[in-house]
């Protein structure tokens, strides 16, 4: 069988799904590990703060979930989870592009959010009553992951109807 | 929806009733003691620091004693402390038990002393065991290790740092000292790194032999014992035995105090309370016969407290309205529905001067936004059941936890509501189960629409909700300004923004481009667009003219006005921020769907059903946990950043009354 570029649509589409899951997951894994180490340090000193630092630890974990979400939505849309998987090259590339916001922003924002969360953990260690504020600082970073998720989702759903 | 009105209370009474009055105030827990600034020269403060420290130490001792008891005799596993709450105790019981406090404090020290004895003895046993181990290579020696010889012989007891046999040693010695004959060698023990030996030779060769031995690496034992090693070992074993029985006895004695556990906890509480009381006592102004208390009290508690004080004790009470410039503590009071979110408000900051309590307005939005982010009926029902059960079963739980539980109860109700609207029941579980196990096309249709099918529609709805939320925040700002009589500021800072943002939004909605994008079906008459443009224009001009009104210089004022107009970009980002309602709502549904699909991979049948159940339980517990966290964090964010940003600064100081800060018991007034 001769290699034909036009059959590669599904490959690129799948690549998008995988990248979103991949990079969001990596970012979150590194982020949660950073915050986890900081949180464990706080719990050594004062075990009663476990509940609070656990919440802060989990904050950079959401990008991985968003990545999974985009990956899954893409898989269902391109027919890998059943149905027809007849994707043109252009459409495949479009799916790849649609997944990129989540992949890249998810990765970077998870790492950056982890840094903010580590600082918030040390804030809670010193002033446990300021937990409400400590939670907001990392949550501000997450806004951009949410925006990326939104654009990726809208693009993926929008692509389904495109006649290319 | 209220910040409680605070009054300043001044109390003056005779010193001989000081103890009773302070205890009464502590039980009531209604007054925050706040010492007056400048007393008259007659009054002075007493230094109570040392007494307070003694009491704190007693409380600490009692706590430690209970910890020792618990280590030895683990208490029955009851309810977790957070759920069970503090045990109520009647005032008469309290006073009865308080008489024993001094005795109990002594018992607590006794328990700690016993515990210290146990740990000392255990350390001693370890030390003796080490000694015993060191003796093992010498056990074959039947004379004292310190033996140096007799009148005509020299004895060498020691070791070589290598494994040697008797023959090897004999050969080496013969080689090194050919002139010395008849050295008696006895190998006591051989190990890879050590050979212990006993050597005897004629006394006249002593020096020569010793030098030769040293050259071969011979060393004397580091700690030679006087007795023959086996006898010494017996002695040590006896000592260890004695220590063991001592430990057993100490443990038994500690065990005999087990009955006192409750009373020791009580002692800890008693001394904590006394320490608190002495802290307050140290802040009071006192003359030789009279003492003087001043502080803050919520207006609603005034009458009852005043009456109780003046009838039960000989005290003079004066209630007055605090001055404008005083830093008055803040206490919130709300109904059942809104008081639940007071903790969230407190997490940001309590209302400062001239600010309203945002709890009431916030509570509606809090529940709505939270529900939209989680938006799964089954998860909502689980939350309602869980929180409801805790609230119903454990009536005694602490206030803070009770409020949090109530908040999540309402959030659960809202989650259920949105779940039904959007058709989420464990994601798409009903459809998956029906298809996998019953081969039917049964689905539970959403009451409104499915977000996954029409994400644009939900996005528009999220923005709409956001605009309502933000405008409500602005409205509160208007109310706050108007209440202080700053009508002009209210118009400049709120009404113009309503005009500008509202006008721009309506203008946007009336364009065809936006209607296509958002998939809106209705069309607005052109006049609406024109009117919106006019309103936006009025707003914009108004803001440019007034935003810089604090500057006198007209040029500067104009520039500041322009900068004020630039604030419209923050409204754009604020509104966009509400897109998280869609994103998080979709996340819950999609992850639930992923788990349902995973579970149904093995198809129907018994194996499939077991696999499905496992994946279902693990997956949904995980999903619920993650998304609960997400919904909680992001609802707080929308409240703190977007909503509070429009009107709320906080900086209020929390009302912390003088009360019984006990850990284990709650003293209730007799009825």
């Amino acid at each position: 069988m001769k290699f034909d570029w036009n059959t590669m649509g599904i490959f690129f589409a799948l690549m998008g799904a995988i990248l979103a899951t991949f990079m969001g997951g990596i970012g979150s894994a590194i982020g949660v590990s950073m915050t986890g180490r900081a949180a464990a340090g706080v719990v050594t000193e004062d075990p009663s703060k476990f509940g609070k630092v656990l919440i802060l630890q989990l904050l950079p974990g959401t990008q991985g979930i968003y990545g999974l979400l985009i990956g899954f939505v893409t898989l269902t849309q391109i027919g890998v989870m059943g149905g027809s998987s007849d994707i043109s090259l252009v459409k495949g590339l479009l799916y790849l592009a649609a997944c990129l916001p989540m992949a890249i922003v998810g990765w970077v924002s998870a790492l950056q959010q982890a840094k903010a969360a580590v600082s918030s953990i040390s804030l809670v260690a010193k002033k446990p009553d300021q937990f409400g504020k400590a939670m907001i600082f990392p949550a501000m970073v997450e806004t951009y992951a949410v925006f990326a998720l939104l654009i990726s989702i809208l693009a993926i759903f929008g692509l389904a109807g495109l006649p290319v | 929806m209220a910040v409680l009105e605070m009054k300043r209370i001044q109390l003056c009474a005779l010193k001989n009733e000081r103890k009773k009055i302070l205890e009464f105030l502590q039980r009531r827990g209604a007054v925050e003691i706040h010492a007056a600034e400048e007393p008259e020269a007659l009054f002075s403060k007493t230094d109570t620091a040392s007494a307070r420290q003694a009491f704190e130490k007693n409380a600490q001792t009692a706590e430690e004693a209970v910890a020792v008891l618990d280590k030895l005799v683990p208490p029955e596993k009851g309810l977790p402390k957070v759920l069970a709450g503090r045990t109520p105790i009647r005032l008469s019981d309290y006073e009865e038990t308080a008489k024993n406090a001094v005795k109990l404090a002594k018992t607590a020290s006794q328990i700690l002393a016993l515990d210290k004895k146990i740990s000392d003895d255990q350390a001693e046993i370890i030390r003796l065991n080490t000694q015993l181990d060191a003796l093992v290579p010498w056990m074959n020696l039947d004379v004292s290790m310190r033996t140096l010889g007799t009148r005509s012989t020299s004895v060498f007891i020691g070791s070589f740092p290598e494994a040697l046999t008797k023959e090897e040693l004999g050969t080496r010695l013969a080689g090194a000292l050919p002139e010395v004959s008849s050295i008696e060698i006895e190998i006591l023990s051989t190990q890879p790194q050590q050979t212990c030996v006993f050597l005897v030779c004629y006394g006249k060769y002593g020096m020569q032999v010793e030098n030769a031995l040293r050259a071969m690496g011979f060393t004397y034992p580091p700690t030679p014992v006087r007795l023959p090693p086996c006898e010494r070992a017996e002695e040590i074993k006896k000592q260890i035995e004695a220590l063991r029985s001592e430990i057993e006895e100490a443990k038994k004695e500690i065990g005999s105090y087990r009955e006192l556990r409750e009373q020791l906890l009580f002692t800890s509480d008693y001394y904590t309370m006394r320490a608190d009381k002495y802290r307050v006592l140290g802040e009071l102004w006192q003359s030789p016969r009279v003492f003087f208390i001043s502080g803050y009290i919520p207006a609603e508690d005034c009458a009852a407290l005043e009456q109780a004080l003046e009838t039960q004790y000989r005290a003079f009470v004066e209630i007055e309205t605090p001055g404008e410039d005083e830093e008055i503590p803040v206490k919130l009071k709300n109904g059942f529905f809104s008081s639940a979110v007071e903790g969230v408000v407190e997490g940001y900051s309590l209302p400062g001067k001239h600010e309203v309590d945002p709890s009431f307005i916030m509570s509606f939005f809090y529940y709505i936004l939270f529900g939209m982010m989680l938006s799964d009926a089954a998860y909502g029902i689980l939350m309602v059941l869980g929180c409801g059960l805790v609230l119903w079963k454990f009536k005694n739980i602490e206030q803070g936890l009770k409020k949090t539980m109530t908040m999540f109860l309402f959030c659960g109700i809202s989650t259920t509501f949105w779940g039904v609207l959007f058709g989420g029941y464990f994601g798409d579980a009903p459809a998956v189960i029906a298809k996998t196990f019953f081969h039917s096309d049964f689905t539970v249709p959403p009451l409104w629409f499915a977000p996954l099918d029409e994400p644009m529609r939900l996005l528009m709805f999220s923005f709409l909700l956001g605009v309502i939320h933000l405008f409500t925040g602005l409205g509160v700002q208007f109310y706050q300004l108007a209440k202080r009589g700053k009508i002009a500021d209210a118009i400049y800072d709120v009404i113009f923004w309503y005009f500008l943002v509202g006008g721009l939004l309506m203008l946007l909605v009336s364009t065809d481009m936006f209607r296509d994008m958002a998939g809106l079906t209705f069309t607005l008459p052109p006049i609406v667009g024109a009117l919106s443009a006019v309103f936006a224009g009025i707003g914009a001009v108004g803001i440019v003219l007034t935003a810089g009104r604090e500057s006198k210089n007209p040029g500067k004022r104009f520039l500041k006005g322009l900068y004020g107009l630039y604030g419209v970009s923050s409204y754009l980002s604020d509104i966009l921020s509400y897109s998280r309602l869609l994103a998080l709502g979709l996340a819950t549904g999609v992850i639930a769907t992923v788990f349902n699909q995973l579970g149904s991979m093995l198809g129907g049948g018994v194996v499939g059903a077991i696999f499905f159940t496992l994946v279902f339980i693990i997956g949904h517990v995980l999903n619920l946990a993650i998304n609960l966290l997400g919904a909680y964090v992001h609802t707080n964010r929308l409240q703190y950043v977007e909503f509070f940003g429009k009107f709320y600064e906080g900086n209020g100081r929390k009302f912390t009354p003088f009360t019984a800060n006990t850990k284990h018991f709650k003293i209730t007034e007799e009825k």
Side-chain angles (χ1 to χ4, degrees):
Chain A
M1 199 177 99
K2 223 179 136 227
F3 178 76
D4 180 6
W5 270 106
N6 290 318
T7 60
M8 292 297 280
I10 185 73
F11 169 77
F12 285 113
L14 189 63
M15 189 75 153
I18 282 165
L19 273 183
T21 319
F22 212 54
M23 294 173 72
I26 290 176
S28 280
I30 299 175
V32 173
S33 129
M34 282 164 69
T35 49
R37 278 174 278 167
V42 174
V43 174
T44 337
E45 291 288 318
D46 182 1
S48 70
K49 295 201 181 89
F50 175 71
K52 285 177 177 166
V53 292
L54 181 71
I55 290 180
L56 290 172
Q57 191 208 342
L58 289 177
L59 286 180
T62 37
Q63 281 85 348
I65 299 166
Y66 298 156
L68 168 77
L69 197 157
I70 290 297
F72 182 78
V73 170
T74 311
L75 290 187
T76 45
Q77 291 280 325
I78 62 178
V80 170
M81 306 284 285
S84 115
S85 58
D86 185 22
I87 307 274
S88 70
L89 178 63
V90 179
K91 209 164 194 181
L93 286 170
L94 284 173
Y95 273 118
L96 174 60
C99 290
L100 284 184
M102 193 63 247
I104 295 168
V105 179
W107 182 41
V108 177
S109 72
L111 295 182
Q112 296 303 323
Q113 192 179 8
K115 287 179 189 164
V118 166
S119 302
S120 282
I121 287 173
S122 46
L123 194 164
V124 167
K126 286 176 193 135
K127 299 194 168 169
D129 51 325
Q130 298 299 315
F131 176 66
K133 288 164 198 158
M135 203 171 60
I136 290 305
F137 300 130
M140 294 299 248
V141 184
E142 182 153 329
T143 305
Y144 306 99
V146 173
F147 288 167
L149 169 70
L150 195 71
I151 291 303
S152 282
I153 282 199
L154 292 179
I156 289 165
F157 281 116
L159 275 177
L162 279 189
V164 285
Chain B
M1 178 192 178
V3 177
L4 281 185
E5 189 196 345
M6 286 283 163
K7 292 281 184 193
R8 200 171 174 98
I9 181 172
Q10 315 266 21
L11 186 152
C12 196
L14 289 178
K15 246 179 166 176
N16 58 5
E17 285 191 322
R18 190 178 66 187
K19 181 169 180 287
K20 278 185 182 165
I21 290 180
L22 275 178
E23 281 181 358
F24 171 77
L25 286 178
Q26 191 172 29
R27 281 199 308 274
R28 273 292 173 102
V31 180
E32 177 178 309
I33 308 281
H34 205 266
E37 294 288 315
E38 288 166 33
E40 290 167 37
L42 180 65
F43 290 94
S44 66
K45 283 188 181 181
T46 326
D47 182 21
T48 56
S50 61
R52 209 179 77 214
Q53 275 164 13
F55 292 143
E56 278 168 1
K57 191 165 162 288
N58 277 346
Q60 174 85 13
T61 311
E63 288 287 330
E64 282 169 11
V66 172
V68 169
L69 274 183
D70 288 354
K71 196 173 67 188
L72 208 61
V73 194
E76 286 166 37
K77 279 264 180 273
L79 294 165
K81 189 83 197 156
V82 274
L83 289 181
R86 292 177 293 173
T87 322
I89 177 171
R90 283 216 311 278
L91 180 58
S92 54
D93 291 345
Y94 163 79
E95 276 167 354
E96 194 55 40
T97 328
K99 283 180 196 151
N100 294 326
V102 178
K103 217 173 83 198
L104 282 163
K106 278 203 186 113
T107 313
S109 317
Q110 171 75 8
I111 291 175
L112 287 192
L114 285 170
D115 186 51
K116 184 167 181 306
K117 188 168 174 50
I118 290 178
S119 56
D120 286 353
D121 284 356
Q122 275 163 346
E124 179 68 13
I125 288 179
I126 291 172
R127 204 177 65 82
L128 289 174
N129 271 327
T130 322
Q131 281 186 19
L132 208 52
D133 288 345
L135 279 179
V136 169
W138 309 95
M139 287 307 252
N140 288 333
L141 189 68
D142 39 20
V143 294
S144 164
M145 279 168 82
R146 292 187 193 168
T147 311
L148 294 173
T150 59
R151 213 179 315 157
S152 55
T153 59
S154 281
V155 167
F156 300 97
I157 298 169
S159 60
F160 294 97
E162 58 189 316
L164 289 173
T165 60
K166 192 173 176 180
E167 287 70 32
E168 279 170 347
L169 191 57
T171 321
R172 282 198 205 177
L173 275 175
L177 301 163
E179 70 278 13
V180 178
S181 59
S182 63
I183 299 176
E184 185 60 35
I185 301 172
E186 191 182 331
I187 302 282
L188 297 171
S189 69
T190 319
Q191 283 156 302
Q193 298 287 322
Q194 194 190 33
T195 307
C196 299
V197 294
F198 173 85
L199 294 171
V200 189
C201 66
Y202 284 121
K204 57 183 176 181
Y205 298 132
M207 288 298 283
Q208 273 172 291
V209 173
E210 181 165 7
N211 287 338
L213 285 173
R214 283 212 185 274
M216 287 164 64
F218 176 85
T219 48
Y220 289 106
T223 49
V225 290
R226 191 176 44 79
L227 292 173
C230 49
E231 280 176 41
R232 172 68 187 151
E234 277 310 306
E235 203 180 81
I236 290 177
K237 277 179 190 159
K238 260 185 211 144
Q239 281 178 11
I240 292 180
E241 215 36 61
L243 286 172
R244 288 229 168 97
S245 67
E246 233 173 63
I247 290 176
E248 276 317 304
E249 236 156 74
K251 279 188 177 168
K252 214 185 279 170
E253 197 178 339
I254 293 179
S256 72
Y257 292 120
R258 190 177 43 198
E259 305 300 320
L260 295 178
R261 183 174 186 276
E262 286 292 297
Q263 296 198 35
L264 283 170
L265 288 177
F266 173 84
T267 310
S268 154
D269 273 0
Y270 171 77
Y271 279 112
T272 314
M273 277 171 69
R274 277 196 83 175
D276 268 353
K277 202 168 74 191
Y278 270 68
R279 181 182 52 75
V280 167
L281 196 59
E283 285 174 15
L284 299 185
W285 293 107
Q286 313 186 33
S287 74
R289 300 196 191 287
V290 173
F291 74 100
F292 185 71
I293 296 177
S294 78
Y296 294 104
I297 177 170
E300 58 180 22
D301 297 339
C302 282
L305 190 85
E306 189 175 2
Q307 208 227 343
L309 276 171
E310 289 192 335
T311 52
Q312 289 177 28
Y313 310 97
R314 271 178 300 165
F316 172 71
V317 179
E318 194 178 55
I319 306 282
E320 52 192 41
T321 311
E324 255 309 287
D325 50 348
E326 277 181 57
E327 201 201 322
I328 304 159
V330 179
K331 189 181 180 190
L332 303 181
K333 188 180 182 183
N334 286 288
F336 180 63
F337 182 73
S338 302
S339 66
V341 297
E342 278 172 7
V344 179
V345 175
E346 216 174 286
Y348 186 81
S349 188
L350 283 167
K353 239 176 218 182
H354 311 301
E355 286 188 329
V356 297
D357 173 10
S359 308
F360 179 70
I361 294 193
M362 200 186 93
S363 57
F364 287 99
F365 285 107
Y366 198 94
Y367 301 141
I368 291 174
L369 299 177
F370 190 101
M372 262 188 92
M373 289 191 205
L374 202 54
S375 67
D376 189 293
Y379 291 169
I381 291 169
L382 283 181
M383 282 171 73
V384 172
L385 287 181
C387 297
L389 196 71
V390 169
L391 287 175
W392 178 58
K393 271 276 179 198
F394 308 110
K395 299 242 188 297
N396 204 13
I397 56 175
E398 298 294 322
Q399 275 300 317
L401 187 65
K402 192 171 168 185
K403 280 183 184 169
T404 314
M405 283 292 161
T406 319
M407 183 180 95
F408 281 113
L409 179 79
F410 284 119
C411 288
I413 293 172
S414 163
T415 305
T416 316
F417 170 74
W418 288 105
V420 172
L421 283 187
F422 294 147
Y425 303 87
F426 289 119
D428 60 351
V432 171
I433 292 172
K435 198 173 158 211
T436 317
F437 299 105
F438 305 104
H439 306 289
S440 80
D441 286 334
F442 171 79
T443 51
V444 185
L447 209 60
W448 192 19
F449 68 93
L452 215 52
D453 298 337
E454 297 175 72
M456 225 31 208
R457 192 168 166 192
L458 185 54
L459 185 63
M460 287 306 126
F461 181 72
S462 304
F463 287 156
L464 178 68
L465 208 61
V467 171
I468 296 172
H469 196 200
L470 291 173
F471 276 16
T472 310
L474 269 179
V476 179
Q477 171 75 334
F478 183 87
Y479 172 76
Q480 279 181 169
L481 287 171
K483 208 175 86 178
R484 290 167 63 194
K486 297 184 168 183
I487 301 290
D489 286 305
I491 291 172
Y492 300 155
D493 288 345
V494 178
I495 301 294
F496 283 154
W497 281 106
Y498 274 149
F499 277 19
L500 178 61
V501 178
L504 285 177
L505 286 173
M506 286 310 287
L507 199 60
L508 189 67
V509 172
S510 66
T511 59
D512 288 336
M513 191 191 82
F514 183 79
R515 272 209 304 278
D516 284 348
M517 207 167 78
L520 299 177
T521 46
F522 58 90
T523 45
L524 295 166
I527 181 75
V528 175
L531 260 180
S532 326
V534 171
F535 270 109
I538 296 175
V541 171
I543 288 164
V544 172
L545 289 180
T546 61
R549 61 185 177 274
E550 269 146 36
S551 301
K552 290 267 182 280
N553 182 334
K556 214 172 171 184
R557 191 188 294 193
F558 179 70
L559 287 177
K560 273 196 174 176
L562 281 182
Y563 182 71
L565 187 63
Y566 178 69
V568 79
S569 67
S570 80
Y571 277 85
L572 180 71
S573 67
D574 282 350
I575 294 172
L576 283 180
S577 187
Y578 286 84
S579 62
R580 73 189 68 229
L581 293 177
L582 165 68
L584 288 164
L586 281 186
T588 319
V590 171
I591 296 169
T593 311
V594 173
F595 283 121
N596 290 338
Q597 293 230 352
L598 259 181
S600 66
M601 270 188 334
L602 294 191
V606 179
V607 180
I610 294 171
F611 182 72
F612 183 84
T613 316
L614 271 179
V615 173
F616 187 84
I617 292 174
I618 297 172
H620 285 289
V621 166
L622 202 69
N623 190 22
L624 180 59
I626 291 169
N627 281 293
L628 262 181
L629 174 69
Y632 172 65
V633 169
H634 287 280
T635 311
N636 276 7
R637 185 226 137 102
L638 286 178
Q639 299 287 1
Y640 286 176
V641 180
E642 274 76 20
F643 187 58
F644 282 178
K646 295 284 162 279
F647 68 96
Y648 191 72
E649 270 179 29
N651 286 332
R653 187 169 62 85
K654 192 180 177 182
F655 176 69
T656 41
F658 169 44
T659 183
N661 285 316
T662 51
K663 275 194 225 156
H664 312 285
F665 296 94
K666 191 157 57 183
I667 299 159
T668 51
E669 292 269 349
E670 235 127 323
K671 295 285 176 223

